[in-house]
Amino acid sequence: MWSGRSILAGAAALFMGALVGAEVGGFAELTAEAPAPADGPGGSLLLLPLLVCFGGPAALWGSLTVVLPVVWVARWASGRLTGRDAWWWVPVVAGVLVSVVVAVIGTVRHVGPGPLTLILLTGAVLLAGAALLARDAALHGGRLLRALGYGALAMVAVFGIGAAAFGAGLFTEYRPPKVDASRLAGDWTDGRGGTLRPAADGTARAEGLTDHEAAYEDDADADLAKYRCTGTGTWSYAPGDSTTWDQRVRLSIEACSFHEPYGLGDPEGWRITGTPEHPELNREYGDLDVPGWYTLTR
Protein backbone atom coordinates (compact mmCIF):
# COMPACT_ATOMS: atom_id res chain seq x y z
CA MET A 1 0.00 0.00 0.00
CA TRP A 2 2.77 2.44 0.91
CA SER A 3 4.45 2.19 -2.47
CA GLY A 4 5.93 4.87 -4.67
CA ARG A 5 3.30 4.39 -7.36
CA SER A 6 0.42 4.84 -4.92
CA ILE A 7 2.04 7.95 -3.45
CA LEU A 8 2.53 9.44 -6.92
CA ALA A 9 -1.00 8.58 -8.02
CA GLY A 10 -2.49 10.18 -4.91
CA ALA A 11 -0.29 13.25 -5.30
CA ALA A 12 -1.21 13.65 -8.97
CA ALA A 13 -4.90 13.41 -8.13
CA LEU A 14 -4.56 15.98 -5.35
CA PHE A 15 -2.62 18.37 -7.57
CA MET A 16 -4.97 18.15 -10.54
CA GLY A 17 -7.98 18.31 -8.26
CA ALA A 18 -6.63 21.47 -6.67
CA LEU A 19 -6.18 23.02 -10.12
CA VAL A 20 -9.74 22.15 -11.09
CA GLY A 21 -10.96 23.55 -7.78
CA ALA A 22 -9.03 26.77 -8.37
CA GLU A 23 -10.61 27.02 -11.82
CA VAL A 24 -14.11 26.55 -10.42
CA GLY A 25 -13.31 29.07 -7.70
CA GLY A 26 -12.16 31.53 -10.36
CA PHE A 27 -15.51 31.33 -12.14
CA ALA A 28 -17.36 31.67 -8.84
CA GLU A 29 -15.19 34.66 -7.97
CA LEU A 30 -16.43 36.47 -11.08
CA THR A 31 -19.99 36.49 -9.70
CA ALA A 32 -19.09 37.59 -6.17
CA GLU A 33 -19.28 41.18 -4.99
CA ALA A 34 -15.75 42.48 -4.40
CA PRO A 35 -13.90 45.82 -4.14
CA ALA A 36 -11.67 44.98 -7.11
CA PRO A 37 -12.19 43.02 -10.35
CA ALA A 38 -11.62 39.29 -9.97
CA ASP A 39 -8.89 37.53 -11.93
CA GLY A 40 -11.26 34.70 -12.82
CA PRO A 41 -10.07 31.26 -13.95
CA GLY A 42 -7.25 32.86 -15.93
CA GLY A 43 -5.60 33.85 -12.67
CA SER A 44 -4.89 30.21 -11.83
CA LEU A 45 -3.22 29.73 -15.22
CA LEU A 46 -0.92 32.68 -14.57
CA LEU A 47 0.06 31.10 -11.26
CA LEU A 48 0.63 27.67 -12.81
CA PRO A 49 4.46 27.80 -12.64
CA LEU A 50 4.26 28.78 -8.98
CA LEU A 51 1.70 26.06 -8.32
CA VAL A 52 3.94 23.45 -9.91
CA CYS A 53 6.96 24.52 -7.85
CA PHE A 54 5.16 24.60 -4.51
CA GLY A 55 2.02 22.58 -5.18
CA GLY A 56 3.90 19.51 -6.37
CA PRO A 57 5.84 18.92 -3.12
CA ALA A 58 2.73 19.82 -1.10
CA ALA A 59 0.70 17.25 -3.04
CA LEU A 60 3.33 14.57 -2.40
CA TRP A 61 3.28 15.36 1.31
CA GLY A 62 -0.52 15.34 1.35
CA SER A 63 -0.59 12.00 -0.44
CA LEU A 64 1.81 10.46 2.07
CA THR A 65 0.26 11.90 5.23
CA VAL A 66 -3.45 12.05 4.37
CA VAL A 67 -4.40 10.11 1.24
CA LEU A 68 -2.60 6.84 1.98
CA PRO A 69 -3.71 6.77 5.64
CA VAL A 70 -7.30 7.15 4.41
CA VAL A 71 -6.80 4.19 2.06
CA TRP A 72 -5.25 2.12 4.85
CA VAL A 73 -8.06 2.90 7.31
CA ALA A 74 -10.69 2.16 4.65
CA ARG A 75 -9.16 -1.24 3.82
CA TRP A 76 -8.76 -2.09 7.51
CA ALA A 77 -12.36 -1.11 8.34
CA SER A 78 -13.67 -2.94 5.28
CA GLY A 79 -11.84 -6.12 6.22
CA ARG A 80 -12.91 -5.99 9.86
CA LEU A 81 -16.57 -5.13 9.25
CA THR A 82 -17.39 -6.84 5.95
CA GLY A 83 -14.66 -9.45 5.58
CA ARG A 84 -13.56 -8.14 2.19
CA ASP A 85 -11.81 -5.16 0.62
CA ALA A 86 -14.66 -2.96 -0.67
CA TRP A 87 -13.72 0.18 -2.58
CA TRP A 88 -16.70 2.19 -1.31
CA TRP A 89 -15.19 2.33 2.16
CA VAL A 90 -12.67 4.85 0.79
CA PRO A 91 -15.19 7.68 0.17
CA VAL A 92 -16.87 6.84 3.49
CA VAL A 93 -13.65 7.28 5.46
CA ALA A 94 -12.69 10.36 3.42
CA GLY A 95 -16.10 11.91 4.10
CA VAL A 96 -15.83 11.28 7.83
CA LEU A 97 -12.36 12.81 8.00
CA VAL A 98 -13.34 15.90 6.02
CA SER A 99 -16.51 16.30 8.12
CA VAL A 100 -14.44 16.36 11.32
CA VAL A 101 -12.06 18.94 9.86
CA VAL A 102 -14.94 21.11 8.64
CA ALA A 103 -16.64 20.90 12.04
CA VAL A 104 -13.45 22.13 13.72
CA ILE A 105 -13.10 24.97 11.20
CA GLY A 106 -16.71 26.00 11.74
CA THR A 107 -16.29 25.99 15.52
CA VAL A 108 -12.99 27.84 15.64
CA ARG A 109 -13.42 30.28 12.75
CA HIS A 110 -17.22 30.76 13.01
CA VAL A 111 -17.68 30.15 9.28
CA GLY A 112 -21.23 30.26 7.91
CA PRO A 113 -23.14 27.15 6.76
CA GLY A 114 -22.87 28.02 3.06
CA PRO A 115 -19.06 28.16 2.88
CA LEU A 116 -18.80 25.17 5.22
CA THR A 117 -21.00 23.09 2.93
CA LEU A 118 -18.88 24.07 -0.06
CA ILE A 119 -15.68 23.17 1.80
CA LEU A 120 -17.18 19.86 2.89
CA LEU A 121 -18.29 18.81 -0.59
CA THR A 122 -15.09 19.98 -2.30
CA GLY A 123 -12.81 18.41 0.29
CA ALA A 124 -14.69 15.12 0.34
CA VAL A 125 -14.68 14.77 -3.45
CA LEU A 126 -11.01 15.73 -3.74
CA LEU A 127 -9.81 13.43 -0.96
CA ALA A 128 -12.01 10.50 -2.00
CA GLY A 129 -10.91 10.76 -5.63
CA ALA A 130 -7.23 10.91 -4.72
CA ALA A 131 -7.58 8.00 -2.29
CA LEU A 132 -9.41 5.83 -4.83
CA LEU A 133 -6.69 6.42 -7.42
CA ALA A 134 -3.98 5.67 -4.86
CA ARG A 135 -5.79 2.45 -3.89
CA ASP A 136 -6.12 1.46 -7.52
CA ALA A 137 -2.42 2.15 -8.11
CA ALA A 138 -1.45 0.01 -5.13
CA LEU A 139 -3.58 -2.91 -6.33
CA HIS A 140 -3.18 -2.77 -10.10
CA GLY A 141 -0.13 -0.69 -10.96
CA GLY A 142 0.73 2.90 -11.77
CA ARG A 143 -2.08 5.36 -12.36
CA LEU A 144 -0.02 8.55 -12.61
CA LEU A 145 -0.73 9.27 -16.28
CA ARG A 146 -4.39 8.43 -15.81
CA ALA A 147 -4.68 10.90 -12.93
CA LEU A 148 -2.96 13.64 -14.93
CA GLY A 149 -5.05 12.90 -18.01
CA TYR A 150 -8.35 12.89 -16.14
CA GLY A 151 -7.36 16.11 -14.42
CA ALA A 152 -6.48 17.82 -17.70
CA LEU A 153 -9.79 16.74 -19.25
CA ALA A 154 -11.64 18.00 -16.19
CA MET A 155 -9.94 21.39 -16.48
CA VAL A 156 -10.90 21.68 -20.15
CA ALA A 157 -14.47 20.62 -19.36
CA VAL A 158 -14.81 23.09 -16.48
CA PHE A 159 -13.50 25.94 -18.61
CA GLY A 160 -15.83 25.08 -21.48
CA ILE A 161 -18.89 24.69 -19.26
CA GLY A 162 -18.08 27.84 -17.32
CA ALA A 163 -17.53 29.94 -20.44
CA ALA A 164 -20.75 28.61 -21.97
CA ALA A 165 -22.73 29.30 -18.78
CA PHE A 166 -21.53 32.91 -18.63
CA GLY A 167 -22.03 33.35 -22.37
CA ALA A 168 -25.60 32.06 -22.15
CA GLY A 169 -26.39 34.37 -19.25
CA LEU A 170 -26.89 31.60 -16.69
CA PHE A 171 -24.33 33.40 -14.52
CA THR A 172 -23.54 37.10 -14.51
CA GLU A 173 -20.20 38.69 -13.81
CA TYR A 174 -20.43 41.15 -10.93
CA ARG A 175 -20.02 44.83 -11.74
CA PRO A 176 -20.36 47.78 -9.35
CA PRO A 177 -23.52 49.87 -9.62
CA LYS A 178 -23.47 53.11 -11.57
CA VAL A 179 -23.86 56.08 -9.22
CA ASP A 180 -23.53 59.85 -9.32
CA ALA A 181 -22.52 62.54 -6.84
CA SER A 182 -26.08 63.16 -5.66
CA ARG A 183 -26.49 59.52 -4.62
CA LEU A 184 -23.23 59.57 -2.68
CA ALA A 185 -24.12 62.57 -0.53
CA GLY A 186 -25.43 61.63 2.91
CA ASP A 187 -24.44 59.49 5.88
CA TRP A 188 -22.08 56.51 5.62
CA THR A 189 -20.99 54.24 8.46
CA ASP A 190 -18.31 51.63 9.04
CA GLY A 191 -20.57 49.69 11.43
CA ARG A 192 -18.21 50.32 14.34
CA GLY A 193 -19.09 53.87 15.30
CA GLY A 194 -17.29 55.67 12.48
CA THR A 195 -19.27 57.87 10.10
CA LEU A 196 -18.65 59.93 6.98
CA ARG A 197 -20.99 62.69 5.81
CA PRO A 198 -20.21 63.94 2.30
CA ALA A 199 -22.43 66.93 1.50
CA ALA A 200 -23.86 68.03 -1.82
CA ASP A 201 -21.68 71.17 -1.77
CA GLY A 202 -18.46 69.11 -1.84
CA THR A 203 -17.62 69.35 1.86
CA ALA A 204 -17.26 66.29 4.07
CA ARG A 205 -17.05 65.47 7.77
CA ALA A 206 -15.56 62.35 9.32
CA GLU A 207 -16.49 61.18 12.81
CA GLY A 208 -14.36 58.41 14.29
CA LEU A 209 -13.28 56.80 11.02
CA THR A 210 -10.56 54.17 11.37
CA ASP A 211 -7.20 55.21 9.94
CA HIS A 212 -6.11 51.72 8.87
CA GLU A 213 -3.18 52.97 6.82
CA ALA A 214 -1.59 54.71 9.81
CA ALA A 215 -2.12 51.59 11.94
CA TYR A 216 -0.57 49.42 9.24
CA GLU A 217 2.49 51.66 9.00
CA ASP A 218 2.89 51.46 12.79
CA ASP A 219 2.23 47.70 12.80
CA ALA A 220 -0.41 48.35 15.46
CA ASP A 221 -4.01 47.42 16.23
CA ALA A 222 -6.35 49.61 14.17
CA ASP A 223 -8.98 49.43 16.94
CA LEU A 224 -6.89 51.64 19.20
CA ALA A 225 -8.42 55.06 19.86
CA LYS A 226 -5.37 56.85 18.43
CA TYR A 227 -6.26 55.52 14.98
CA ARG A 228 -9.75 56.98 15.02
CA CYS A 229 -9.86 60.25 13.11
CA THR A 230 -12.38 63.09 13.14
CA GLY A 231 -12.30 66.19 10.99
CA THR A 232 -13.66 68.10 8.03
CA GLY A 233 -12.54 68.31 4.44
CA THR A 234 -13.72 67.93 0.88
CA TRP A 235 -14.79 65.17 -1.45
CA SER A 236 -15.49 64.63 -5.15
CA TYR A 237 -16.81 61.92 -7.42
CA ALA A 238 -14.93 60.67 -10.50
CA PRO A 239 -17.21 58.67 -12.85
CA GLY A 240 -14.35 56.82 -14.53
CA ASP A 241 -13.47 56.40 -18.17
CA SER A 242 -14.91 53.09 -19.33
CA THR A 243 -16.58 50.81 -16.76
CA THR A 244 -18.17 51.18 -13.34
CA TRP A 245 -15.03 49.63 -11.85
CA ASP A 246 -13.30 52.96 -12.62
CA GLN A 247 -15.59 55.05 -10.40
CA ARG A 248 -13.83 56.72 -7.48
CA VAL A 249 -14.60 58.95 -4.54
CA ARG A 250 -11.75 61.34 -3.74
CA LEU A 251 -11.78 62.25 -0.07
CA SER A 252 -9.56 64.78 1.70
CA ILE A 253 -9.79 64.84 5.52
CA GLU A 254 -6.74 66.50 7.06
CA ALA A 255 -6.98 64.57 10.33
CA CYS A 256 -6.86 61.25 8.47
CA SER A 257 -4.29 59.63 6.23
CA PHE A 258 -6.71 59.76 3.29
CA HIS A 259 -6.09 63.39 2.36
CA GLU A 260 -4.65 65.20 -0.66
CA PRO A 261 -3.48 64.53 -3.25
CA TYR A 262 -5.52 61.34 -3.23
CA GLY A 263 -4.75 59.99 0.20
CA LEU A 264 -1.43 58.81 1.57
CA GLY A 265 -1.16 55.13 0.76
CA ASP A 266 -4.43 55.42 -1.17
CA PRO A 267 -3.57 56.69 -4.67
CA GLU A 268 -6.77 55.43 -6.27
CA GLY A 269 -9.32 56.89 -3.86
CA TRP A 270 -12.36 55.00 -2.56
CA ARG A 271 -13.84 52.31 -4.80
CA ILE A 272 -17.60 51.95 -5.23
CA THR A 273 -19.18 48.51 -4.90
CA GLY A 274 -22.37 47.02 -3.48
CA THR A 275 -25.71 47.04 -5.25
CA PRO A 276 -27.81 49.84 -6.78
CA GLU A 277 -29.98 49.83 -3.66
CA HIS A 278 -27.09 49.55 -1.20
CA PRO A 279 -23.83 51.01 -2.56
CA GLU A 280 -20.60 50.75 -0.57
CA LEU A 281 -17.37 52.72 -0.37
CA ASN A 282 -14.14 50.73 -0.09
CA ARG A 283 -10.66 51.99 0.69
CA GLU A 284 -7.60 49.81 0.18
CA TYR A 285 -4.88 49.70 2.82
CA GLY A 286 -1.92 47.60 3.85
CA ASP A 287 0.05 45.21 1.67
CA LEU A 288 -0.47 45.89 -2.03
CA ASP A 289 -0.27 42.17 -2.84
CA VAL A 290 -2.78 41.16 -0.14
CA PRO A 291 -4.65 44.36 0.69
CA GLY A 292 -7.22 44.94 3.38
CA TRP A 293 -10.43 46.86 2.68
CA TYR A 294 -12.13 49.45 4.85
CA THR A 295 -15.83 49.53 3.93
CA LEU A 296 -18.50 52.16 4.51
CA THR A 297 -22.19 51.44 3.97
CA ARG A 298 -25.38 53.49 3.94
Side-chain angles (χ1 to χ4, degrees):
M1 179 57 62
W2 303 86
S3 63
R5 60 192 182 188
S6 59
I7 294 174
L8 287 176
L14 283 180
F15 181 73
M16 298 306 295
L19 290 181
V20 173
E23 193 176 17
V24 173
F27 277 114
E29 192 179 32
L30 291 175
T31 67
E33 180 182 322
D39 293 329
S44 59
L45 295 179
L46 295 176
L47 295 176
L48 189 58
L50 185 65
L51 292 174
V52 171
C53 291
F54 295 97
L60 286 171
W61 179 252
S63 179
L64 183 62
T65 59
V66 180
V67 174
L68 292 191
V70 166
V71 176
W72 183 86
V73 171
R75 298 191 69 185
W76 175 84
S78 177
R80 290 292 298 269
L81 298 177
T82 65
R84 60 189 180 88
D85 183 11
W87 68 267
W88 51 265
W89 273 94
V90 172
V92 170
V93 173
V96 171
L97 176 60
V98 174
S99 297
V100 172
V101 173
V102 169
V104 172
I105 293 175
T107 302
V108 175
R109 305 294 296 180
H110 306 290
V111 181
L116 281 180
T117 302
L118 181 60
I119 294 172
L120 174 62
L121 294 176
T122 303
V125 170
L126 180 59
L127 181 56
L132 285 172
L133 275 172
R135 175 184 179 275
D136 197 33
L139 295 177
H140 305 294
R143 293 293 186 268
L144 176 61
L145 294 180
R146 179 179 296 183
L148 295 175
Y150 286 163
L153 288 175
M155 291 185 67
V156 172
V158 167
F159 185 83
I161 293 172
F166 276 90
L170 298 178
F171 299 102
T172 303
E173 182 177 354
Y174 171 77
R175 292 188 181 278
K178 178 64 177 178
V179 299
D180 54 34
S182 62
R183 293 188 58 193
L184 295 172
D187 292 345
W188 298 80
T189 178
D190 64 3
R192 306 178 69 178
T195 60
L196 174 67
R197 297 183 180 88
D201 61 0
T203 60
R205 178 168 181 79
E207 294 277 355
L209 290 185
T210 301
D211 198 343
H212 284 280
E213 192 62 39
Y216 175 78
E217 292 175 355
D218 295 343
D219 193 22
D221 185 358
D223 290 331
L224 295 176
K226 64 179 292 187
Y227 298 113
R228 288 281 180 172
C229 62
T230 297
T232 59
T234 60
W235 75 283
S236 63
Y237 165 68
D241 298 326
S242 55
T243 72
T244 53
W245 285 110
D246 298 328
Q247 299 174 108
R248 295 291 186 272
V249 170
R250 311 294 189 188
L251 180 64
S252 174
I253 304 292
E254 292 186 4
C256 307
S257 68
F258 29 89
H259 63 79
E260 295 291 356
Y262 297 128
L264 296 179
D266 183 26
E268 294 191 355
W270 294 67
R271 296 172 181 260
I272 298 171
T273 58
T275 64
E277 297 78 16
H278 302 285
E280 298 177 354
L281 298 179
N282 299 271
R283 176 177 180 262
E284 182 180 350
Y285 66 89
D287 191 334
L288 294 178
D289 294 326
V290 189
W293 294 95
Y294 183 37
T295 302
L296 303 180
T297 60
R298 302 305 292 263

